[in-house]
Amino acid sequence: MEAPHSPAAETAHPSAVRLTLTSPEQTQELGRRLAKLLRPGDLVMLTGELGAGKTTLTRGLGEGLGVRGAVTSPTFVIARVHPSLVGGPALVHVDAYRLGGGLDEMEDLDLDVSLPESVVVVEWGDGKVEDLSEDRLHVVVHRVVGSTDDDRRQVTLTGIGPRWADAGLAGLSA
């Protein structure tokens, strides 16, 4: 199954950064590096095919943020909260794949309450969580589909809103 179409990810944006990753370890490392740019109140939307590496990236974010608990896919519980072990923001990890509605269904998760003091990461959030914040980071992970051993991923990070105008995303490609 492919990820929903995302016009925002395909439109040229001054805060967009494109990377090629060649292993799950590089995907996790990107998450650790990205975590250094995140702060309480940040909304991160992850888009990509099944198995693209969204949870692997989030695992790296959790490591970089210094949160408690193993970061695993929250597909069946919908959301997991990982409190900080180092005095930073908690990581709220949401998988909206099974949620059919838009923000109405998401409101039951009280993400708007968690957002100001946490970093909220939503997998499969396209068309569902954009109204939570005018500032968000949209991460699109594309993998080679079909029967292949190719671990390459094309990752596009697009900062949306004033928060991401000078957030340092370009430094992630170094």
Side-chain angles (χ1 to χ4, degrees):
M1 170 177 265
E2 290 197 10
H5 176 72
S6 175
E10 295 176 8
T11 303
H13 194 281
S15 297
V17 173
R18 288 170 183 75
L19 306 166
T20 299
L21 307 175
T22 59
S23 69
E25 293 78 20
Q26 284 185 349
T27 303
Q28 200 161 335
E29 176 59 26
L30 174 62
R32 286 190 290 271
R33 291 180 23 227
L34 180 58
K36 294 176 183 172
L37 302 178
L38 297 176
R39 61 185 187 209
D42 282 343
L43 172 63
V44 180
M45 292 174 38
L46 300 179
T47 302
E49 300 89 359
L50 286 171
K54 298 178 296 295
T55 300
T56 300
L57 181 70
T58 306
R59 189 172 299 119
L61 288 172
E63 289 174 7
L65 291 170
V67 299
R68 184 179 72 212
V71 175
T72 59
S73 178
T75 299
F76 297 105
V77 295
I78 310 297
R80 283 196 172 94
V81 177
H82 298 275
S84 176
L85 295 171
V86 296
L91 172 66
V92 179
H93 185 197
V94 180
D95 186 330
Y97 182 76
R98 296 184 318 139
L99 301 179
L103 195 57
D104 291 340
E105 226 177 321
M106 297 300 287
E107 283 180 1
D108 291 339
L109 299 176
D110 287 332
L111 293 180
D112 54 337
V113 173
S114 300
L115 189 57
E117 67 272 354
S118 304
V119 170
V120 176
V121 176
V122 182
E123 297 185 28
W124 304 98
D126 281 2
K128 298 174 183 173
V129 299
E130 289 87 345
D131 290 339
L132 283 174
S133 177
E134 67 180 43
D135 294 305
R136 60 193 175 275
L137 179 62
H138 190 183
V139 180
V140 179
V141 184
H142 284 290
R143 68 174 176 88
V144 176
V145 293
S147 180
T148 180
D149 290 336
D150 194 338
D151 280 336
R152 278 180 299 153
R153 304 296 194 258
Q154 298 297 320
V155 179
T156 304
L157 301 113
T158 305
I160 299 167
R163 152 69 177 110
W164 293 100
D166 295 312
L169 289 175
L172 294 172
S173 61

